[in-house]
RNA sequence: GGCGCUAUCGUCUAGGGGUUAGGACGUGAGAUUCUCAAUCUUAAAACACGGGUUCGAUUCCCGUUAGCGCUACCA
């Protein structure tokens, strides 16, 4: 098959701006983007903003903010609300073909009455349509419309028993359903505005979307969409439905129920790298089928196919204690370690700034390699590196300075003091580079009859203010002699008052 | 209620008529090490249930159950 037989695909991401950018939406966007890139097609962003009641500007901003952070560009952009004329014209055309009818039943009034009123004659399928309205003669319909009576426009779903609707979903396979099981859904609301189904299909047809890749919650709706495309005389695109992302309780993610963890910006603000977040999201419902899990965006693009997508919902694992899926955090740690130091430094800088630290580029470049293996989220950087930037160490328990000599034997304050005093003497004239410090301090330990461990612990606590920190010699090198000597002297003072 | 989709370790997944059912995260143990981390080794941990088909089903078919989705003049 030549390139001419296969026009390049056009895919779209069509969020409705009724909230922030949701992780599930982000994944849908990513899968569309991957498909477009993989197949050299076009990625289209369309804001499906037909629900005037619920749309907000803040939401539009949040969506753009989230997508910008992901760093995946799109090629074309549209706003559904600017295409209303097209939708209404399409509705008119479907109506003229006799494929739709006016339903004058007042909105929200149709609720309970049909079931009891119709009796046995209507089968139990009264929900399918409103028989009185579906069969209303055209003249009467026109007269009532002309008189200003408001109506919704409904699709006249074919009712011959043998009419089967079907399509081949790229993920779920052949889907088919008797048209008889599809209700006469609305195309136009009584205020004249298009419904989601109409607007979406009209735009998909007009924008010549070739592949609709979207959440599985639309799988059943697709039968309606097939009917609309048919009414539009447009070929139906290829469909690919994605398994849903759900919360640990199995329910679909909602802000009200699950809080800010469903928003993309929460991940950004906690210090996820966009490529790590993307890596994680792709692994939910898709797999490269080999045992790789750490993948760059390019690597994913290279092997991404629709038929490697699963059919069952994926749980995104989080809790109050652990707001992020442990696997997402782990992958982020891997991506952090994979990043060149200068890029990591640049990524960390804003998080340090937020904590009030504004190191020089040189110092930042020196500190970054010391913490890169110790953080899994960029947001952990300030806490991991504070002592590099603080003039005065935060208060710590002087007891921390007392070294553990062996598993069961603990030293005392006198020992700690001897260590620190010795260290201060040695450090006063040792060159501040890794190897010199290493040699000098180990020799000092031998002098005191100590193993390296018990020797280094008091120094580490004195210099960093805590027991757990990056390797000692590198740390001291970055801190410099003056700071180290000063902090050791302070520690000695703490010990004498103990 | 109707219609539809789904079902492998706690979670994400690979696999597929005959396998020690593989990997990853997390958890436990160990190694390494100046602490922590990183790294390496290792352990525990799964085919929802019931019927078929078959010499043989976790795998194919049917049913049950469970979960989810749709069933709006929301998207």
């Amino acid at each position: 098959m030549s390139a001419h037989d296969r026009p390049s695909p056009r895919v779209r991401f069509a969020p409705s701006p009724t909230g922030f950018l949701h992780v599930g939406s982000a994944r849908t966007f990513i899968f569309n983007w991957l498909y477009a890139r993989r197949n050299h097609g076009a990625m289209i962003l369309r804001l499906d903003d037909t629900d005037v009641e619920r749309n907000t500007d803040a939401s539009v901003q949040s969506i753009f903010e989230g997508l910008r952070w992901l760093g995946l560009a799109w090629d074309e952009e549209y706003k559904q609300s600017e295409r209303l004329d097209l939708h209404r014209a399409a509705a008119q055309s479907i109506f003229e073909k006799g494929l739709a009818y006016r339903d004058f039943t007042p909105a929200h009034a149709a609720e309970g009455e049909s079931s009891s009123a119709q009796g046995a004659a209507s089968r139990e399928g009264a929900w399918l349509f409103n028989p009185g309205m579906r069969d209303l003669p055209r003249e009467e319909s026109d007269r009532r419309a002309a008189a200003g009576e408001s109506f919704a426009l409904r699709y006249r779903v074919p009712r011959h028993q043998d009419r089967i609707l079907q399509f081949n979903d790229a993920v779920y396979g052949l889907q088919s359903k008797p048209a008889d099981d599809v209700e006469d859904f609305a195309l136009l609301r009584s205020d004249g505005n298009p419904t989601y189904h109409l607007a979406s299909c009209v735009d998909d047809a007009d924008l010549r979307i070739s592949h609709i890749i979207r959440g599985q919650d639309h799988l059943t709706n697709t039968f309606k969409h097939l009917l609309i495309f048919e009414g539009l005389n447009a070929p139906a695109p290829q469909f690919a439905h994605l398994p849903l992302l759900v919360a640990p309780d199995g329910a679909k993610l909602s802000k009200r129920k699950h809080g800010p963890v469903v928003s993309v910006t929460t991940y950004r603000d906690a210090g996820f790298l966009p490529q790590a977040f993307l890596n994680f999201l792709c692994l939910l419902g898709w797999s490269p089928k080999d045992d790789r899990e750490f993948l760059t965006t390019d690597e994913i693009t290279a092997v991404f196919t629709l038929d490697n997508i699963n059919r069952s919902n994926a749980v995104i694992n989080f809790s109050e204690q652990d707001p992020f899926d442990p696997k997402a955090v782990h992958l982020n740690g891997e991506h952090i370690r994979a990043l060149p130091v200068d890029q990591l430094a640049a990524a960390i800088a804003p998080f340090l700034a937020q904590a009030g630290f504004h190191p020089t580029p040189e110092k930042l470049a020196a500190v970054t390699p010391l913490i890169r293996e110790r953080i899994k989220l960029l947001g952990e950087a300030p806490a991991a590196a504070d002592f590099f930037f603080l003039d005065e160490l935060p208060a710590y328990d002087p007891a921390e300075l007392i070294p553990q000599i062996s598993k069961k034997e603990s030293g005392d304050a006198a020992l700690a003091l001897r260590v620190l005093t010795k260290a201060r003497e040695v450090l006063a004239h040792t060159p501040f580079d890794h190897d010199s410090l290493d040699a000098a301090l180990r020799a000092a330990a031998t002098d005191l009859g100590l193993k390296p461990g018990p020797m280094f612990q008091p120094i580490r606590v004195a210099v960093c203010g805590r027991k757990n920190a990056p390797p000692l010699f590198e740390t001291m090198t970055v801190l410099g002699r003056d700071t180290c000597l000063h902090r050791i002297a302070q520690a000695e003072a703490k010990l004498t008052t103990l």
Side-chain angles (χ1 to χ4, degrees):
Chain A
M1 197 182 260
S2 78
H4 287 290
D5 299 306
R6 254 190 226 271
S8 61
R10 292 172 60 78
V11 300
R12 47 62 157 192
F13 173 61
S16 61
T18 54
F20 48 76
L21 182 65
H22 190 276
V23 294
S25 305
R27 190 187 62 152
T28 301
F29 175 89
I30 290 167
F31 281 13
N32 273 280
W33 184 91
L34 287 169
Y35 188 80
R37 286 294 169 271
R38 174 83 182 90
N39 300 287
H40 312 288
M43 173 77 213
I44 291 150
L45 175 67
R46 189 181 74 214
L47 290 170
D48 277 8
D49 53 353
T50 50
D51 186 0
V52 199
E53 304 284 304
R54 300 195 303 154
N55 293 334
T56 66
D57 243 27
S59 169
V60 174
Q61 290 321 308
S62 159
I63 289 168
F64 278 111
E65 202 181 325
L67 294 181
R68 226 179 293 122
W69 175 68
L70 278 175
L72 309 179
W74 50 93
D75 306 303
E76 299 170 30
E77 186 177 317
Y78 303 92
K79 237 178 147 172
Q80 210 163 49
S81 57
E82 291 164 356
R83 304 164 59 83
L84 276 176
D85 292 346
L86 193 64
H87 307 144
R88 294 206 178 100
Q92 182 62 28
S93 137
I94 290 173
F95 176 69
E96 293 302 343
K97 288 175 191 160
L99 297 174
Y101 61 91
R102 299 191 185 100
D103 182 351
F104 295 96
T105 311
H108 305 297
E111 208 44 26
E113 42 123 311
S114 53
S115 51
S116 54
Q118 307 306 328
S122 73
R123 309 141 55 204
E124 64 287 340
W127 60 275
L128 280 172
F129 57 94
N130 183 332
M133 292 300 166
R134 183 174 162 118
D135 304 332
L136 210 61
R138 177 65 189 265
E139 310 82 66
E140 186 183 346
S141 177
D142 286 348
R143 184 173 47 72
R144 290 173 69 169
E149 200 175 334
S150 72
F151 60 87
L153 190 71
R154 286 181 183 283
Y155 200 100
R156 191 190 303 277
V157 178
R159 295 299 168 206
H160 3 271
Q161 302 292 337
D162 55 346
R163 179 64 204 275
I164 303 291
L165 268 11
Q166 63 171 234
F167 65 99
N168 202 342
D169 190 272
V171 173
Y172 287 89
L174 184 66
Q175 302 293 310
S176 76
K177 182 177 200 165
D180 238 16
D181 284 338
V182 178
E183 73 279 12
D184 283 355
F185 56 95
L187 260 18
L188 248 29
R189 305 193 184 96
S190 42
D191 61 6
N193 284 319
T195 60
Y196 159 77
H197 298 302
L198 202 236
S200 174
C201 292
V202 169
D203 284 336
D204 287 334
D206 183 65
L207 299 173
R208 301 178 337 276
I209 300 301
S210 64
H211 293 69
I212 295 183
I213 304 170
R214 60 178 12 168
Q216 188 247 36
D217 46 346
H218 284 299
L219 191 62
T220 319
N221 285 334
T222 305
F223 296 107
K224 296 172 193 164
H225 299 172
L226 253 21
L227 256 8
I228 298 178
F229 285 118
E230 188 177 298
L232 258 20
N233 276 326
Q238 168 75 233
F239 292 94
H241 288 89
L242 270 19
L244 266 19
L245 249 35
V246 298
D249 60 3
K252 74 177 195 183
L253 301 170
S254 83
K255 185 181 190 181
R256 190 181 54 75
K257 198 169 173 194
H258 305 109
V261 291
V262 304
S263 170
V264 169
T265 50
T266 304
Y267 286 77
R268 179 199 61 189
D269 297 344
F272 276 87
L273 254 14
Q275 62 270 38
F277 182 66
L278 180 144
N279 187 174
F280 169 67
L281 249 27
C282 285
L283 259 17
L284 259 22
W286 173 87
S287 130
K289 306 292 182 191
D290 49 34
D291 284 336
R292 290 135 84 210
E293 301 237 306
F294 173 88
L295 296 156
T296 64
T297 304
D298 284 345
E299 286 169 337
I300 296 171
T301 306
V303 296
F304 182 81
T305 63
L306 258 20
D307 39 51
N308 280 357
I309 295 173
N310 299 313
R311 285 177 286 276
S312 49
N313 292 172
V315 173
I316 175 162
N317 218 353
F318 58 81
S319 60
E320 290 98 59
Q321 307 83 359
D322 251 329
F324 303 113
D325 192 307
K327 195 160 191 167
V329 174
H330 174 262
L331 280 169
N332 200 55
E334 288 201 276
H335 277 92
I336 282 176
R337 277 174 262 131
L339 219 51
V341 175
D342 57 329
Q343 288 180 36
L344 180 57
I348 285 173
F351 288 87
L352 293 179
Q354 205 172 24
F357 302 140
H358 302 276
T360 61
E362 294 72 31
K363 184 151 192 185
L364 180 58
V367 169
T368 300
L370 298 185
I371 61 169
R372 74 190 297 178
E373 284 171 357
R374 271 158 269 266
I375 58 171
K376 289 186 169 169
L377 298 171
L378 300 177
E380 293 164 358
D386 58 350
F387 57 86
F388 283 114
F389 311 120
L390 259 13
D391 288 334
E392 288 298 322
L393 248 24
Y396 60 88
D397 181 358
E400 304 261 280
L401 291 161
I402 297 171
Q404 196 73 19
I405 292 169
S406 66
K407 266 179 289 185
K408 42 191 130 175
E409 196 187 348
S410 179
D412 55 18
L415 175 64
L417 202 51
R418 256 185 292 139
V419 166
L420 291 176
T421 305
K422 175 79 175 175
R424 194 160 43 78
E425 288 166 13
V426 169
L427 260 19
H429 55 77
T430 302
F432 258 60
D433 61 79
H434 177 280
D435 292 351
S436 305
L437 290 169
D438 189 326
L441 257 16
R442 280 181 200 279
T446 310
D447 284 355
L448 294 177
L450 289 171
K451 288 184 174 173
M455 176 77 196
F456 298 160
Q457 186 195 326
I459 305 174
R460 173 178 297 109
V461 174
V463 163
C464 302
R466 65 174 105 107
K467 281 180 179 170
N468 300 338
L472 188 56
F473 312 132
E474 287 91 331
T475 300
M476 292 200 300
T477 306
V478 173
L479 251 16
R481 175 180 278 127
D482 292 349
T483 303
C484 289
L485 292 181
H486 174 62
R487 288 182 182 177
I488 290 172
Q490 284 180 313
E492 288 177 273
K494 277 179 197 278
L495 278 171
T496 52
T497 61
L498 193 62

